[in-house]
Amino acid sequence: MATISKRMLSFFVRSSGLTIRQSLPARHNPGLKRKKGPIVDKKKKKQVFIRKPTEIVPPIDPESLLNPALLKAPRLRKPIELPPEEQERRTLLLKEWSRFKMKQHKEELQRVQELERCREEALKELKKTSVFLYHEAIKVDRDFFPLEFKGPTETPPKADYLAPDMEENKVKVKARR
């Protein structure tokens, strides 16, 4: 009883996508203390600040801006006043269109669910008849939808970019705590 069989040990060590990962309880050691770094006096420590490069604002093309004279009140069109009967007709038409599109959407969802159910049923039957054919059927065919990505694999570094000094960032983070 004192020794754990290989089968029992594999239950604790292995994990799969279908089960929750278990670990051996012996891995936890509450008596073990973490190592601490050297003690630094916070008053004596210098704070180092990184100067950020100033942001360069590109010039604005004056022709790309809207002409304020075009936005004045006399240039704006007045909203069209519709009679109440026309407003009522338009709202009813909009409601009818919404119902039609909702019904169309539900029918599409039902078709997809039915196809999925039929597929699952066919795979179950295939598994009963031939496991090899079942595994061949569920394999992913990479040639069905060929994916090709074109683009730069390496980009040259930016000339004006100043990389942050990681050691100074660590000092700042520790100082904030």
Side-chain angles (χ1 to χ4, degrees):
M1 272 304 196
T3 61
I4 300 175
S5 68
K6 286 185 179 180
R7 190 173 186 178
M8 288 288 289
L9 188 61
S10 68
F11 174 75
F12 287 109
V13 176
R14 290 185 188 163
S15 68
S16 69
L18 301 175
T19 61
I20 299 172
R21 182 179 173 101
Q22 292 96 6
S23 63
L24 288 172
R27 290 185 183 165
H28 177 65
N29 192 353
L32 186 66
K33 293 186 178 179
R34 291 189 336 193
K35 293 181 181 178
K36 296 187 177 180
I39 300 171
V40 179
D41 189 13
K42 291 182 181 180
K43 293 178 183 176
K44 292 180 181 178
K45 188 178 10 176
K46 270 184 163 180
Q47 285 192 354
V48 180
F49 294 102
I50 299 173
R51 261 185 38 190
K52 294 182 182 177
T54 58
E55 186 178 332
I56 300 170
V57 180
I60 298 172
D61 182 20
E63 292 180 8
S64 66
L65 298 174
L66 288 174
N67 187 354
L70 298 176
L71 299 175
K72 290 183 180 174
R75 297 269 313 173
L76 296 176
R77 291 183 180 174
K78 295 178 183 174
I80 300 171
E81 299 280 332
L82 292 175
E85 298 84 24
E86 180 64 21
Q87 286 180 349
E88 184 70 23
R89 188 186 72 76
R90 287 186 182 188
T91 54
L92 291 174
L93 186 64
L94 185 63
K95 284 182 181 182
E96 190 177 337
W97 176 253
S98 305
R99 280 191 218 105
F100 169 74
K101 291 305 279 182
M102 190 167 112
K103 182 181 173 188
Q104 194 178 32
H105 177 68
K106 283 184 179 180
E107 288 172 355
E108 180 68 24
L109 285 178
Q110 286 176 349
R111 272 191 298 245
V112 169
Q113 288 173 352
E114 181 66 20
L115 284 172
E116 185 67 25
R117 189 187 60 75
C118 289
R119 179 181 172 275
E120 291 297 323
E121 192 176 306
L123 284 174
K124 282 181 187 177
E125 291 298 319
L126 187 61
K127 194 172 187 178
K128 288 178 186 176
T129 57
S130 171
V131 177
F132 173 74
L133 289 176
Y134 171 77
H135 287 295
E136 289 296 315
I138 62 171
K139 269 188 189 173
V140 177
D141 185 13
R142 301 270 182 214
D143 297 330
F144 193 65
F145 289 113
L147 292 176
E148 281 188 34
F149 297 105
K150 293 182 181 178
T153 55
E154 293 182 18
T155 56
K158 293 181 180 178
D160 299 336
Y161 181 73
L162 297 173
D165 188 11
M166 296 310 292
E167 304 229 347
E168 291 178 6
N169 285 344
K170 289 179 186 176
V171 170
K172 280 186 181 179
V173 170
K174 287 180 183 176
R176 283 187 213 150
R177 290 181 186 172

